[in-house]
Amino acid sequence: MASDSNFVQAAITRFDGHYDHWSMRMENFLQSKEYWQIFEDGIGAPTEVEALTNAQKMEFEARKLKDLKAKNYLFQDIERPFLETILCKETSKDIWDFMRKKYEGTSRVKHTQLQALRRDFETLKMNEGESVMSYCAKTMETSNKMRFHG
């Protein structure tokens, strides 16, 4: 069971401010866990709990539990500086929508990110004792990030 827990930790991508990459991987992860529907539809709060049948109450409670689990994955994934901005959000859908609105790349933000990546690319140098493969990997990583941002 511990190895399964390690797999989940390894599967989740930590949010580092690059929303486009993170959201793509996180959406895929949440779909594989069958939680993505909660992010699209929300939990759908009933108007009056007393008027619900037992089956409807059980379904609502199941959606709330699924939402709580999805929210837990988001909390595991988001670093403290980013986490503090979403703590007041009630549901996982609220968190996802807020993250999209706040961090989704506008053209100005993407341009700034590209400038930073270009600076990183131009200042890359091979360190003392570093293998050629390691240096090539760093170069390709920066190049791929640039390509990802257009």
Side-chain angles (χ1 to χ4, degrees):
M1 190 62 157
S3 63
D4 189 36
S5 173
N6 291 339
F7 173 74
V8 170
Q9 286 298 102
I12 297 177
T13 303
R14 302 295 292 182
F15 180 69
D16 60 359
H18 297 282
Y19 176 80
D20 294 334
H21 180 257
W22 172 81
S23 67
M24 186 173 45
R25 293 204 48 196
M26 196 65 186
E27 180 179 338
N28 185 53
F29 175 75
L30 291 165
Q31 284 178 349
S32 73
K33 295 290 182 184
E34 299 178 357
Y35 293 136
W36 187 246
Q37 198 66 36
I38 291 292
F39 287 85
E40 290 181 335
D41 302 336
I43 57 173
T47 53
E48 289 193 29
V49 178
E50 298 84 29
L52 297 178
T53 66
N54 283 342
Q56 289 172 324
K57 286 179 186 178
M58 287 179 56
E59 181 184 338
F60 179 69
E61 290 300 319
R63 283 194 315 251
K64 279 182 24 181
L65 180 61
K66 210 172 206 183
D67 181 69
L68 185 61
K69 288 178 180 180
K71 196 171 166 182
N72 184 43
Y73 279 122
L74 290 174
F75 283 167
Q76 288 178 28
D77 186 53
I78 299 172
E79 297 289 337
R80 183 179 179 152
F82 302 109
L83 185 64
E84 290 173 354
T85 64
I86 62 168
L87 286 176
C88 61
K89 304 300 177 197
E90 294 290 323
T91 67
S92 56
K93 180 176 176 36
D94 293 341
I95 293 170
W96 190 266
D97 291 345
F98 176 80
M99 295 287 288
R100 180 184 305 127
K101 184 177 178 182
K102 184 167 175 83
Y103 296 107
E104 191 170 36
T106 62
S107 60
R108 188 170 142 202
V109 171
K110 285 188 178 190
H111 181 72
T112 304
Q113 289 173 337
L114 278 170
Q115 284 178 327
L117 288 168
R118 183 176 179 172
R119 184 181 61 249
D120 291 348
F121 187 78
E122 289 173 350
T123 59
L124 272 176
K125 65 178 184 176
M126 193 166 173
N127 297 325
E128 185 80 24
E130 184 178 21
S131 70
V132 173
M133 290 299 288
S134 175
Y135 176 73
C136 286
K138 284 194 311 189
T139 305
M140 288 305 295
E141 179 182 357
T142 304
S143 173
N144 288 336
K145 286 178 183 177
M146 291 172 76
R147 187 177 303 120
F148 179 76
H149 289 293

